[in-house]
């Protein structure tokens, strides 16, 4: 049975070596099973045959039955075309083909009934159809071209070999009607029965040839459930295996550093959400199991403080802590804020990035190894380097969505004690994505902003309002506030974007001349020190305007900045806009975000910008972003099991995902290693789809 589905595709009747090569290169279809999983992307309803007299050029598609007559080749060379008439007794329709003429000629037999399917168009006062799909009445009945018909994605090269949607459908029909076609059930009877699932064999058949709407729906549900189920099963097994196999570091106490900081040096009252999350983290680290926790909190919700206080617990227990950020700017920013918090405690904090000199690096390494340094903050250099800690107890990873499961596993070296891991993300992730991508992590959410924050006011403005925007910037600056002006430099190498940034900068300098105003600029082509120098000038309030690219997207913290102007805002993605906007509204003043846009906006760009104007809620924005872009496009989330989702769509199938998760939890509760006889189908399938993964090493 498995052998049948594993058969190389060239052995399918109607394929052969040439088509097989194309199927492999164009659609990645190598074996029967790959073809079986080439699901239709939609269906057309072919349950009804229209009378030609009823056909209206407004119909999207129409199906008619009748006979051909008056076949004619007209024109020469490139203008060559085949025309024909087609009649069913109620009326006649004109047909025309510009391509594949000799093939079409061979299909057509006079005085025989045919069914045509295609898009009708008005041709003068008559209705005509170009390139209709043709099938003989005999085959129409034999191949059961009735009811819902699948539509497949294909390519030009395949179409030239007559593997258009219909051609692929024929192959599937051949495959599915082969007496050797068998698919074994993989779910245990308990699951099949509780959910009244369509069985696996039937589901693969009905996804291609649903027959009725209801059967099609059941097949879809079954296949989506299966896809989502295995993402969850994998995640929960990783989690379970890890907890069973890895011994975490036991932090027995909350000591003087934590308590002293809390009592004497806390710069503000913690929000209730911060308190709750710190408690959750504290509880994890006191179990003796390794913590793997995701901390979600919107921009500005105060994650840094949570990270810092968690680090203090590690330090209180004689361990070191590390914080890893995706960019140098962000690492530096973290270094500055943590150094400030740590100052009164007399802790030793280090910064390690790609641009730290060899000599300094050596000093850092020694201090780490001896245990003299308490906290190390850095970029990826932190794991790529040969950094050896004296006793590393906690690793905090900021903006983890750029940091996959496998990379997390590299955080510690063989034989070393396994540090606790806290992953922080400011990009609110829709629940469905979080469950799929971070399903192996426990989740904490900071769902409350520090007191006194006023919601940012956001507006969309066209070029024609430029002068008013500049006037408003001047007003804000007069009040002592500062302003960000952000340019899209999507690819830092793109000349045109760079030119726009520089032109914009020149323009700002003209509108805001010295000595009354001072303007900073930061972009990716500058040297790290220069960038840092300019940021610091802005931070100290020596400049009133910071012109920048998205390098300021994350982490920059200047509470006095109360206004952000985003240029060509339509070029930014939704979550990126939200991240950027989060740079203002960090103080107690009313803050503003102005989205400057071109006059021509795509429908999607308009929806993004309108969403920004309508809400400040990161989770709402994340949900919409997922709907607009699809999960494959969300930054860095392409890895992590999402590629196994062919049919399920995380933006729509949240409910099925939840059902899968619950099923998996119940299943593993009873049979944590999947050894029970009734779970062998699941077990085998899981191994097949995750060849060679060693879960115990994945954190
Ligand atoms: P993010 O979650 O985006 O990393 P930060 O940790 O940078 O947010 O915090 C944003 C700002 O809010 C910082 O200036 C920080 O000092 C301040 N902050 C954090 N927690 C509180 C609080 N409980 N009360 C007041 N201000 C706070
Ligand atoms: Mg932050």
């Amino acid at each position: 049975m498995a052998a049948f589905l594993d058969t190389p595709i060239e052995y399918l009747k109607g394929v052969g070596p040439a088509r097989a090569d194309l199927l492999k290169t164009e659609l990645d279809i190598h074996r029967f099973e790959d073809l079986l999983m080439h699901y239709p992307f939609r269906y057309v309803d072919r349950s009804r045959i229209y009378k030609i007299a009823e056909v209206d050029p407004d119909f999207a598609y129409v199906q008619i039955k009748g006979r051909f007559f008056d076949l004619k080749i007209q024109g020469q060379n490139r203008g060559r075309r085949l025309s024909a008439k087609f009649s069913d007794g109620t009326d006649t329709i004109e047909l025309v083909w510009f391509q594949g003429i000799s093939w079409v000629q061979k299909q057509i037999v006079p005085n025989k009934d045919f069914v045509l399917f295609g898009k009708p168009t008005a041709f003068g006062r008559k209705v005509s159809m170009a390139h209709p799909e043709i099938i003989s009445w005999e085959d129409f009945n034999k191949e059961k071209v009735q009811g819902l018909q699948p539509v497949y994605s294909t390519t030009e090269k395949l179409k030239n070999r007559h593997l258009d949607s219909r051609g692929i459908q024929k192959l599937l029909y051949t495959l599915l009607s082969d007496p050797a076609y068998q698919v074994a059930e993989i779910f245990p009877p308990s699951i099949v029965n509780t959910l009244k699932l369509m069985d696996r064999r039937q589901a693969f058949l009905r996804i291609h040839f649903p027959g009725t709407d209801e059967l099609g729906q059941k097949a879809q549900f079954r296949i989506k459930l299966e896809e989502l189920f295995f993402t969850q099963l994998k995640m929960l097994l990783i989690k379970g295996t890890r907890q069973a196999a890895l011994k975490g570091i036991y932090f027995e106490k909350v000591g003087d550093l934590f308590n002293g900081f809390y009592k004497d040096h806390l710069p503000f009252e913690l929000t209730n959400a911060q308190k709750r999350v710190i408690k959750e983290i504290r509880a994890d680290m006191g179990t003796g199991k390794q913590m793997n926790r995701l901390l979600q909190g919107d921009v500005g919700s105060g994650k840094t403080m949570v990270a810092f206080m968690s680090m203090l617990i590690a330090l209180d227990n004689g361990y070191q802590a590390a914080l890893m950020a995706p960019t140098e700017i962000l690492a530096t920013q973290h270094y500055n804020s943590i150094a400030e918090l740590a100052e009164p405690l007399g802790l030793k904090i280090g910064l390690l990035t790609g641009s730290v000199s060899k000599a300094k690096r050596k000093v850092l390494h020694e201090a780490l190894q001896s245990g003299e340094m308490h906290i190390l903050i850095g970029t990826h250099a932190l794991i790529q380097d040969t950094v050896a800690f004296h006793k590393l107890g906690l690793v905090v990873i900021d903006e983890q969505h750029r940091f996959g499961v496998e990379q997390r596993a590299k955080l510690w070296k063989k034989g070393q004690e396994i540090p606790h891991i806290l992953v922080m993300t400011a990009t609110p992730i829709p629940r469905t994505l979080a469950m799929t991508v971070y399903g192996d992590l426990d989740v904490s959410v900071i769902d409350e902003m520090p007191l006194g924050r006023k919601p940012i006011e956001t507006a969309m403005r066209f070029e024609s309002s430029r002068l008013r925007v500049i006037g408003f910037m001047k007003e804000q600056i007069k009040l002592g506030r500062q302003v960000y002006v952000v340019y899209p430099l999507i690819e830092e190498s793109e000349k045109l974007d760079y030119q726009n940034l520089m032109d914009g900068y020149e323009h700002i300098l003209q509108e805001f001349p010295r000595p009354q105003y001072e303007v900073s600029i930061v972009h990716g082509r500058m040297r790290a020190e220069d960038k840092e120098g300019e940021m610091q000038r802005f931070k100290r309030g020596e400049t009133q305007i910071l012109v920048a690219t998205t390098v300021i997207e994350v982490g920059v913290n200047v509470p006095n900045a109360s206004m952000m102007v985003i240029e060509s805002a339509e070029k930014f993605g939704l979550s990126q806009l939200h991240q950027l906007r989060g740079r203002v509204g960090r103080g107690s003043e009313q803050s503003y975000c102005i989205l400057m846009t071109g006059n021509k906006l795509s429908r999607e760009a308009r929806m993004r910008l309108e969403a920004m104007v309508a809400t400040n809620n990161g989770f709402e924005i994340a949900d919409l972003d997922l709907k607009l872009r699809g999960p494959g496009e969300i930054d860095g989330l392409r890895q992590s099991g999402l590629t196994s989702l062919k049919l399920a769509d995380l933006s729509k199938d949240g409910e099925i995902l939840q059902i899968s998760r619950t099923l998996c939890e119940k299943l593993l509760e009873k049979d944590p290693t999947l050894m029970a006889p009734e779970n062998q189908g699941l077990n085998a399938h899981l191994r097949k789809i995750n060849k060679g993964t060693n879960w115990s090493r994945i954190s």
Side-chain angles (χ1 to χ4, degrees), residues 9-30 103 157-164 166-168 170-171 174:
I9 196 70
E10 47 268 48
Y11 297 117
L12 187 66
K13 191 169 156 270
V15 177
R19 282 176 149 195
D21 280 349
L22 275 181
L23 283 169
K24 285 176 198 172
T25 50
E26 297 288 294
L27 294 178
D28 212 14
I29 294 176
H30 300 260
W103 189 76
K157 282 188 186 159
L158 284 165
K159 281 185 194 164
N160 290 338
R161 287 243 156 214
H162 304 304
L163 286 179
D164 52 5
R166 176 92 187 103
I168 292 175
K170 274 191 182 160
L171 296 184
T174 309

Side-chain angles (χ1 to χ4, degrees), residues 549-679:
T549 61
T550 47
V551 291
I552 64 153
E553 184 184 340
V554 280
V556 174
N557 188 17
V558 181
N560 188 49
S562 64
M563 179 174 177
M564 173 173 285
V565 179
I566 304 181
E567 297 290 343
S568 306
E570 73 275 14
K571 291 191 183 165
F572 291 92
L574 197 46
S575 67
Q576 203 177 16
L577 286 172
H578 182 66
Q579 286 286 321
L580 282 170
R581 179 170 60 181
R583 299 306 112 206
V584 295
R586 304 194 139 224
S588 49
E589 305 303 337
Q590 175 62 54
S591 288
Y592 305 90
C593 175
I594 311 288
L595 306 168
M596 297 299 296
T597 72
N599 285 320
K600 274 198 197 131
L601 288 180
S602 68
R603 199 181 75 93
E604 229 193 87
R606 181 175 292 277
M607 280 174 75
R608 285 199 297 270
L609 299 174
E610 283 171 356
M612 285 293 295
V613 173
T615 179
N616 274 304
N617 182 317
F619 281 92
E620 277 176 32
I621 286 183
D623 270 334
L624 183 66
D625 196 28
L626 178 64
K627 287 205 177 89
L628 289 178
R629 290 199 292 167
E633 294 304 310
I634 307 280
D635 296 329
L637 294 183
R638 225 159 301 194
Q639 341 97 321
S640 315
L642 285 184
T643 45
S644 63
L645 301 182
K646 284 182 185 272
L647 208 59
D649 176 347
L650 291 178
S651 60
K652 298 190 191 116
D653 298 321
E655 211 174 313
I656 309 182
L657 178 63
Q658 188 56 58
I659 295 174
S660 317
R661 176 95 177 180
T662 313
L663 278 180
C664 285
E665 281 166 356
K666 279 194 196 145
L667 180 85
L668 290 176
E669 206 172 287
K670 273 201 203 143
D671 183 14
T673 51
L674 292 184
M675 283 323 213
E678 73 268 21
N679 293 331

Side-chain angles (χ1 to χ4, degrees), residues 171 311 366-367 435 495 589 609:
L171 296 184
M311 289 174 165
E366 282 167 10
M435 272 164 69
K495 273 209 180 97
E589 305 303 337
L609 299 174

Side-chain angles (χ1 to χ4, degrees), residues 268-271 274 298-304 450 453 557 586:
F268 36 68
E269 175 81 10
L270 294 179
T271 63
Q274 282 170 318
D298 215 338
V299 264
S301 61
K303 293 184 293 295
T304 315
R453 293 275 167 83
N557 188 17
R586 304 194 139 224

Side-chain angles (χ1 to χ4, degrees), residues 53 100 132 171 177 187 191 233 247 251 286 323 331 384 427 498 520 556 588 610 690:
L171 296 184
S177 49
F187 282 130
I191 292 184
L233 190 59
K247 218 164 117 42
F251 288 166
L323 190 158
Q384 283 151 2
T427 316
Y498 184 70
S520 296
V556 174
S588 49
E610 283 171 356
N690 294 302

